[in-house]
């Protein structure tokens, strides 16, 4: 296989961070595998495959990567019969080629005693996590209701953002904020900045507040839609003189909107 110039440059590049971006099927994995193989079989500074950390997004991608490294090693072995290659093949099953989560799990299990964790821990599934999060939210809310000072904060919140049937809606809002914040690099910073958007000084006018324009846009969209309903009602009312009183009434309402 003849590498393209870009691929060759990516394969040969050393002593710097590389970010490769190319379309699916254009040969990124092939380049990565080739880079690994060259490192393993380097004449001057060979390394063992267990010294590499290769992380992927999915288990399927990790399996593919392991498979392709294995194939590349087999191919090299058939060409050179180098005992080093046989050793790499033997080490392949214990190589760190996995999803990032699996690697983290490996590190935690290996060094559990340094963080005082039961090494028989397991990774929770999505359902279990949802239940746990619900439980934690309930506990936090309860801790607020039970404390007089904190209850003074939560009651108005629950009034404004909850529903008459309980705090479920408010809990969902908190939960969504948590999920969104966690997707950002600095979650706490975002939460604090979001709270600042509601801070008002003595001369703050409503239009100074960053969240007002989206609310206005929303209200405007709703009103425009309502106005168009009046349009149709007025058309039908205009067909009969008997409806003229209603017509005037609707017409005035549309004008007001
Ligand atoms: N320069 C090349 N010439 C011919 N085939 C190539 C070349 N580079 C990659 N391929 C082949 O193209 C296919 C897709 O490559 P792959 O590395 O899986 O792409 P990607 O990881 O970018 O989706 C593989 O079968 C690979 O062997
Ligand atoms: Mg790929």
């Amino acid at each position: 296989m003849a590498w393209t110039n870009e691929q060759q440059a990516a394969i040969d590049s050393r002593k710097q961070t590389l970010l490769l971006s190319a379309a699916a099927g254009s040969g990124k994995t092939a380049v990565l595998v080739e880079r690994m193989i060259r490192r393993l079989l380097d004449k001057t500074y060979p390394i063992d495959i267990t010294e590499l950390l290769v992380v992927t997004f999915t288990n399927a991608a990790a399996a593919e990567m392991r498979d392709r490294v294995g194939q590349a090693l087999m191919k090299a072995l058939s060409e050179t019969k180098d005992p080093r290659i046989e050793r790499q093949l033997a080490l392949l099953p214990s190589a760190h080629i996995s999803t990032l989560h699996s690697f983290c799990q490996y590190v935690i299990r290996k060094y559990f005693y340094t963080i005082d964790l039961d090494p028989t821990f397991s990774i929770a599934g999505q359902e279990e996590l949802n239940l746990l999060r619900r439980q934690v939210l309930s506990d936090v809310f309860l801790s607020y209701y039970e404390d007089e000072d904190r209850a003074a904060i939560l009651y108005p919140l629950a009034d404004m953002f909850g529903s008459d049937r309980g705090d479920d809606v408010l809990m969902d809002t908190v939960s969504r904020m948590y999920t969104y914040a966690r997707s950002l690099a600095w979650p706490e910073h975002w939460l604090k900045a979001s709270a600042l958007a509601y801070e008002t000084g003595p001369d703050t006018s409503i239009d100074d507040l960053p969240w007002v324009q989206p609310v206005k846009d929303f209200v405007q969209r709703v009103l425009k839609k309502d106005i168009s309903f009046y349009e149709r009602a007025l058309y039908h009312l205009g067909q009969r003189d008997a409806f003229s009183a209603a017509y005037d009434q609707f017409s005035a309402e549309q004008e007001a909107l």
Side-chain angles (χ1 to χ4, degrees), residues 218-229 257:
F218 173 74
V219 171
Q220 239 166 37
R221 272 202 307 281
V222 172
L223 288 181
K224 276 192 179 135
K225 205 158 157 220
D226 290 348
I227 290 171
S228 75
F229 287 145
L257 281 180

Side-chain angles (χ1 to χ4, degrees), residues 3 28-40 64-73:
W3 300 107
K28 300 180 296 294
T29 304
V31 162
L32 194 49
V33 169
E34 183 67 15
R35 279 177 65 86
M36 289 165 67
I37 299 294
R38 297 221 177 165
R39 275 342 240 309
L40 302 179
E64 187 207 339
M65 184 62 106
R66 189 180 291 274
D67 197 47
R68 286 175 66 168
V69 172
Q71 281 174 19
L73 285 170

